[in-house]
Amino acid sequence: MTTTLITGANKGLGHETARRLIAAGHTVYVGARNIERGTAAAAELGARFVQLDVTDDASVAAAVATLEAGGGLDVLVNNAGIEVRSPGGDIIDAAELTADVMREVFETNVFGLVRVTHAFLPLLERSAAPVVVNVSSSLASLARAGKGYPGVAYPASKTAVNMLTVQFAKAFPRMRINAVEPGYTATDLNRHEGTQTVEQGAEIIVRMAQPGPEAPTGGYFDAAGPLPW
């Protein structure tokens, strides 16, 4: 039985990914900061709940202990992420960007991913087929930068996620570690402005959470294939 942890899984892409992986036979832990919402989501899905705030060392350590007691971990999906907007809901562009906004976004999207990945590495290394899926964005692509979305903090955080993916994959060649772009999916993160459903967006996450032994590692993919860095 494959055991999978998904961060930020009480709603949106994380919730749909959990649903699909449970259907595929995984034992799924729904990681969520809010105990009430996370417990409700896990009950609805037929998953296990673990309280997990990716910005808090103690919370992450407690989650590691819970999964270790439950038998370990095979697949980690780093899905939790935020985008910060102005009080009026506007995207914060370069002219309005502050260090505080940058710090807030990086605390979850980058430092949180590192915190969780580092903490769960011992469990993943014990797995026969360890997998890490980092949810990135096409906005992270330097080759595609300069068009459309005017925000700075969110794309920069996902570009950092891509580099982390490459470096972790080099350091742990036995693991399948990849970054994925779900597409512009309607979720709370973008005020449901996205043009895809969560079912469509979760496709590449679910695919990369179930790779074969010859699957790529250290890559950056959407549902159609590799993306330019």
Side-chain angles (χ1 to χ4, degrees):
M1 182 73 74
T2 300
T3 299
T4 299
L5 167 64
I6 306 169
T7 66
N10 62 291
K11 61 182 179 179
L13 285 167
H15 186 277
E16 176 61 17
T17 299
R19 185 187 71 79
R20 298 266 288 275
L21 291 177
I22 289 167
H26 290 219
T27 296
V28 172
Y29 281 85
V30 166
R33 285 184 302 180
N34 185 284
I35 294 174
E36 183 178 350
R37 289 197 290 267
T39 301
E44 176 198 346
L45 290 163
R48 301 178 183 181
F49 169 67
V50 61
Q51 197 279 332
L52 180 55
D53 179 350
V54 303
T55 68
D56 182 79
D57 289 333
S59 173
V60 173
V64 171
T66 296
L67 268 76
E68 185 169 23
L73 179 65
D74 302 296
V75 179
L76 170 62
V77 179
N78 284 310
N79 169 71
I82 64 169
E83 179 203 42
V84 174
R85 295 200 182 189
S86 73
D90 296 324
I91 293 171
I92 298 172
D93 62 15
E96 301 299 323
L97 181 69
T98 66
D100 286 341
V101 168
M102 203 76 172
R103 186 177 297 112
E104 183 178 356
V105 173
F106 268 60
E107 186 58 54
T108 294
N109 296 4
V110 180
F111 307 145
L113 183 147
V114 172
R115 181 177 288 109
V116 170
T117 303
H118 175 76
F120 279 97
L121 279 173
L123 296 188
L124 288 166
E125 290 188 287
R126 295 177 204 168
S127 171
V131 174
V132 178
V133 181
N134 295 327
V135 177
S136 183
S137 168
S138 63
L139 297 174
S141 172
L142 295 177
R144 295 182 174 185
K147 298 178 181 179
Y149 182 86
V152 179
Y154 182 78
S157 74
K158 293 302 186 178
T159 302
V161 165
N162 285 0
M163 179 57 78
L164 289 167
T165 299
V166 171
Q167 296 300 83
F168 273 111
K170 285 196 301 183
F172 300 96
R174 194 174 67 85
M175 299 184 189
R176 303 296 90 186
I177 304 176
N178 291 290
V180 300
E181 144 68 328
Y184 191 32
T185 304
T187 65
D188 285 355
L189 183 139
N190 57 40
R191 280 65 170 176
H192 291 268
E193 295 167 358
T195 55
Q196 288 188 155
T197 65
V198 289
E199 289 81 8
Q200 292 170 311
E203 173 63 34
I204 186 61
I205 306 174
V206 172
R207 187 191 311 170
M208 286 300 182
Q210 304 177 93
E214 302 305 316
T217 188
Y220 175 35
F221 303 92
D222 68 6
L227 290 172
W229 298 104

